[in-house]
Amino acid sequence: MADQVLNLKDIRKAYNIDTEVETEILHGIDLNLNKGEFCALIGPSGSGKSTLLNIIGLLDRPTSGTLAIEGRDTGALNDTELTKLRGQRIGFVFQYHHLIAAFTALENVMMPMLVQRGFADAAMQQRAEYLLAQVGLTKWQNNSSQNMSGGQQQRVAIARALAVNPALVLADEPTGNLDTKSAETAFDLMREVNTTNGTTFLIVTHNMSLAKRCDRTIEVIDGAIHGAV
Amino acid sequence: MNSNIPFEVTAAVRFLREGILQTLLIVVGVAVGVSVIVFMSALINSLQSNLMARVLSGQAQIVLSPPKQSARPMLQLGPNSVVRVVQTRVQQQTSIDQWIKLRTILSQMPEINAVSPMASGAALITRGSATRSISLLGIDPDNYYRIVNIPADMVEGTSRISGQDALIGKDLAEDIGLRTGDKLHVSNASGTNRTLTISGIFDLGNKGANLRNVIVTLNTAQGLVDLVGGVSSIDVNLNDAYAADAVADRIVSAHAVKADSWIKTNAQFFTAMNAQTISMTTIRLSVALSVALGIASVLVVSVVQRTKEIGILRAMGASQGQVLRLFLVQGGIVGLLGSIGGVLLARLMLVFWVLLARNPDGTNFFAIDITPAIYAWTAVLATAAGILAAAVPAINAARLDPVVAIRG
Ligand SMILES: Nc1ncnc2c1ncn2[C@@H]1O[C@H](COP(=O)(O)OP(=O)(O)O)[C@@H](O)[C@H]1O
Ligand SMILES: [Mg+2]
């Protein structure tokens, strides 16, 4: 348990509860992730992968079931505590990069640290510079995200997800919008961070060749986990 | 990024800068509104204080006079019938009872800053065959000049008077051809005569007063208006002119005098001023409201435009409070910038006003001033209004469900 980053037990998610159109999207998900695991989450479109990822990332609450991050049960936490835990222990990479255009690449990487501390400081900047160097974008650090290619933006987003040195990085189709070469680069980057830092990754992908290179593949079909865990 | 500036402020500035056109438009809108408010306020305030100063500089704030002798019914026959026998009084000047004692008491009241006894009454002046009826004002110069600034109104000679000196108005001087240094023969109904020396000529800015008023020493007047040893009124000025009603009431309740405050005697003037103030306030509030609504509507749009970014910030651990403040600060910045622009615009309007609004002789109507206090207040109020206007959009932003927001 101590070495598990994530424990899901019987997670259910339903929309329009107590109405005639109530629909359950997730039907009791059990899932554990060990520290340092690099997992792919696959499944057909509409099967509930994003819904599950948002619940794991504490952006959304399950209708029922228990969710523990690093052994800490999250059921009793209020919104403020969930926000804090999310900011400190979870990193996100989204399909459409989602950088904030009003800030430079470097500032985007600093952002998770900045919202947590409230003020910028030199250590934050050094950390962001280090991460941008890791993703090979030192030369671009003062560029606005608008002037970067999709692959570059996604590398910035990966650097940003690592900023607070989170226990778990959740990536929702991070390579879905990239050309093959950029997709390779982004994937290799995440894999490299995983091996050097031991950061746990859960990556939603439709790319089977990338999924095969993960430690484990979890398949979601119609809101339930399919096959062996 | 500056390490002394909170995240919310940095992000607010960046967001406003990114939508620079939108930002500029609303800042200009705020500036125009603020300039109208500042300019109008400055104009009306100056106008009012100028009028007030004119009213106050020519009269005492409280005038004490002997109590009215009312006619009384002499016989009451039954509950409903009265025989009204009105005793006619001899037309005669009366003095304020024990005025020296009253003056001492008044002088010691902390809210009073000037007490000036006066003996006044009608008299005649003659020069050759010309006779004019005048109003003789017998004063104690040191005290009277603290209430009515005669020295500032002198056009000739000196305002210092003693013994048998007299000051006359410009129009009277022209009318009967008198100059400083000339002799003036004054007489009254009971036949008392005096020959006075004109030591100066004043211009009170009012032809009637310039024709009628002749200022002499208290002593001289007392002899000429049958008030030897007495005074017909006492003028009183206060530290706070607006306390005149209250102080007048207190004096009346403690002493046997009648007290008229300038607020009562200028009631119409105050009614006009109040009407002006109310219409001004109405205009100011409507302009402020439309400015605030302008800020609010721009920010409502901005929240919609930035939905996705708000979602990202939330995913990265930004709290609802941080998102709320991010938009409140934007409202505040727009208000602050708008107020700075507005004050500059108001200054410009003022320059034009000074150029255009002139008396026939080319001098300015009166000085308009935008004081540092007005600058400060404008900035504070506009910033507060901006923050307030941002409240609704900011709450919307903070309440966005991060899952929905990220989906965009
Ligand atoms: N807010 C919502 N209300 C109702 N249904 C929703 C809502 N969000 C997602 N869904 C439904 O949940 C299902 C799973 O969606 P999602 O998790 O996005 O799937 P995936 O990411 O695997 O493509 C879809 O059928 C989608 O229509
Ligand atoms: Mg999805």
Side-chain angles (χ1 to χ4, degrees):
Chain A
M1 200 73 171
D3 275 353
Q4 289 190 326
V5 171
L6 178 73
N7 310 99
L8 297 187
K9 199 154 169 41
D10 198 24
I11 290 288
R12 290 173 188 274
K13 180 70 183 179
Y15 287 108
N16 307 314
I17 295 163
D18 291 334
T19 69
E20 288 186 2
V21 289
E22 174 169 338
T23 23
E24 194 175 80
I25 305 296
L26 299 176
H27 313 291
I29 304 271
D30 293 316
L31 173 65
N32 299 315
L33 291 183
N34 294 322
K35 187 168 167 9
E37 265 195 302
F38 196 78
C39 297
L41 188 65
I42 59 169
S45 193
S47 57
K49 304 182 296 296
S50 294
T51 305
L52 180 60
L53 219 63
N54 287 336
I55 289 171
I56 295 171
L58 309 177
L59 288 168
D60 204 354
R61 283 181 190 265
T63 310
S64 68
T66 58
L67 161 61
I69 304 283
E70 295 185 292
R72 182 178 178 193
D73 184 55
T74 59
L77 300 183
N78 65 26
D79 274 348
T80 312
E81 292 163 332
L82 286 178
T83 300
K84 198 167 163 214
L85 183 57
R86 174 169 73 235
Q88 288 173 347
R89 303 311 293 152
I90 295 168
F92 288 93
V93 182
F94 301 98
Q95 179 171 7
Y96 295 104
H97 346 298
H98 290 181
L99 298 182
I100 298 177
F103 291 89
T104 64
L106 188 73
E107 290 165 342
N108 266 282
V109 177
M110 288 168 73
M111 199 58 68
M113 303 181 272
L114 187 60
V115 296
Q116 206 178 102
R117 285 268 334 266
F119 291 86
D121 66 26
M124 262 177 218
Q125 178 156 347
Q126 276 169 18
R127 167 97 181 136
E129 281 167 359
Y130 165 79
L131 289 167
L132 272 183
Q134 270 205 321
V135 301
L137 290 173
T138 297
K139 259 172 47 188
W140 294 83
Q141 66 179 27
N142 292 322
N143 276 59
S144 161
S145 54
Q146 282 166 317
N147 305 326
M148 306 174 98
S149 73
Q152 287 169 328
Q153 288 187 44
Q154 200 58 301
R155 276 146 67 197
V156 175
I158 291 168
R160 182 180 67 186
L162 300 171
V164 292
N165 201 10
L168 175 63
V169 173
L170 303 171
D172 197 348
E173 302 190 39
T175 60
N177 202 37
L178 301 181
D179 61 75
T180 320
K181 192 161 164 286
S182 303
E184 281 289 325
T185 314
F187 184 86
D188 288 347
L189 249 174
M190 291 191 279
R191 191 54 162 154
E192 191 186 316
V193 170
N194 165 253
T195 34
T196 48
N197 297 359
T199 309
T200 311
F201 279 78
L202 183 60
I203 303 169
V204 174
T205 184
H206 287 295
N207 185 327
M208 291 316 289
S209 75
L210 292 182
K212 284 204 184 83
R213 288 158 58 187
C214 294
D215 297 339
R216 174 150 70 115
T217 301
I218 301 152
E219 187 174 13
V220 178
I221 295 176
D222 286 340
I225 289 183
H226 180 79
V229 174
Chain B
M1 259 185 270
N2 192 311
S3 55
N4 295 317
I5 300 173
F7 153 75
E8 292 91 332
V9 176
T10 310
V13 170
R14 293 298 181 84
F15 281 5
L16 288 173
R17 216 166 64 185
E18 199 188 17
I20 188 73
L21 192 64
Q22 208 165 303
T23 305
L24 276 182
L25 283 175
I26 188 61
V27 166
V28 169
V30 173
V32 170
V34 166
S35 71
V36 169
I37 294 177
V38 170
F39 179 72
M40 279 195 44
S41 304
L43 188 69
I44 298 296
N45 283 348
S46 308
L47 179 72
Q48 292 194 343
S49 59
N50 189 272
L51 287 176
M52 193 73 80
R54 276 193 212 181
V55 168
L56 276 174
S57 70
Q59 65 181 211
Q61 290 159 16
I62 301 175
V63 177
L64 305 180
S65 47
K68 261 216 178 74
Q69 310 272 339
S70 58
R72 301 183 300 269
M74 300 301 286
L75 275 173
Q76 186 146 11
L77 299 177
N80 296 321
S81 55
V82 159
V83 173
R84 246 204 290 191
V85 182
V86 178
Q87 196 182 42
T88 43
R89 288 172 44 85
V90 181
Q91 192 66 33
Q92 180 194 321
Q93 279 274 51
T94 48
S95 171
I96 292 177
D97 196 30
Q98 301 196 38
W99 69 271
I100 294 178
K101 192 175 144 209
L102 179 59
R103 177 177 65 177
T104 311
I105 293 170
L106 293 174
S107 308
Q108 283 161 357
M109 286 170 67
E111 57 270 60
I112 290 177
N113 71 21
V115 178
S116 171
M118 178 187 283
S120 65
L124 292 174
I125 58 168
T126 46
R127 177 175 161 83
S129 58
T131 301
R132 296 285 182 274
S133 112
I134 55 139
S135 210
L136 207 56
L137 309 180
I139 56 149
D140 168 19
D142 284 337
N143 288 312
Y144 186 69
Y145 294 168
R146 290 173 61 194
I147 293 175
V148 180
N149 193 356
I150 298 292
D153 294 332
M154 297 305 294
V155 293
E156 206 181 293
T158 171
S159 63
R160 306 293 346 151
I161 51 171
S162 60
Q164 304 300 307
D165 292 341
L167 304 177
I168 65 170
K170 172 173 132 259
D171 295 277
L172 179 64
E174 281 166 13
D175 182 31
I176 56 173
L178 285 168
R179 306 215 44 185
T180 305
D182 290 349
K183 298 289 179 211
L184 184 68
H185 302 285
V186 184
S187 59
N188 71 2
S190 40
T192 315
N193 285 293
R194 286 277 199 296
T195 300
L196 308 178
T197 307
I198 296 172
S199 62
I201 295 175
F202 55 76
D203 178 6
L204 298 176
N206 172 327
K207 185 160 185 178
N210 285 346
L211 271 176
R212 201 175 52 246
N213 292 354
V214 172
I215 298 174
V216 296
T217 61
L218 190 57
N219 204 350
T220 305
Q222 282 170 336
L224 277 163
V225 299
D226 297 328
L227 266 175
V228 176
V231 297
S232 51
S233 62
I234 298 177
D235 287 347
V236 174
N237 263 18
L238 310 175
N239 294 319
D240 172 15
Y242 294 96
D245 272 345
V247 175
D249 287 347
R250 270 168 44 210
I251 294 174
V252 167
S253 66
H255 306 281
V257 287
K258 177 168 163 278
D260 294 305
S261 88
W262 73 292
I263 294 172
K264 291 250 164 58
T265 49
N266 293 280
Q268 276 194 327
F269 171 75
F270 277 99
T271 309
M273 292 259 269
N274 279 341
Q276 202 176 43
T277 303
I278 289 168
S279 60
M280 250 288 292
T281 305
T282 312
I283 294 174
R284 276 197 286 206
L285 283 179
S286 348
V287 174
L289 190 67
S290 64
V291 164
L293 287 176
I295 296 178
S297 65
V298 164
L299 286 176
V300 165
V301 172
S302 164
V303 169
V304 174
Q305 288 169 335
R306 300 201 175 276
T307 296
K308 220 168 185 176
E309 281 155 312
I310 293 164
I312 297 296
L313 286 171
R314 298 279 284 127
M316 290 186 304
S319 65
Q320 287 195 321
Q322 282 176 316
V323 173
L324 182 84
R325 288 191 292 274
L326 167 54
F327 282 89
L328 291 181
V329 170
Q330 289 186 60
I333 291 175
V334 166
L336 181 64
L337 291 180
S339 73
I340 293 171
V343 168
L344 293 177
L345 255 174
R347 286 220 68 99
L348 206 67
M349 289 158 91
L350 219 59
V351 169
F352 279 102
W353 192 88
V354 168
L355 286 178
L356 296 176
R358 283 180 184 277
N359 289 321
D361 63 0
T363 57
N364 286 322
F365 280 165
F366 49 83
I368 294 189
D369 226 8
I370 303 184
T371 59
I374 296 183
Y375 288 123
W377 272 114
T378 306
V380 169
L381 288 179
T383 308
I387 292 172
L388 213 64
V392 170
I395 290 169
N396 284 349
R399 285 208 185 135
L400 275 177
D401 178 353
V403 174
V404 176
I406 287 165
R407 229 185 278 129

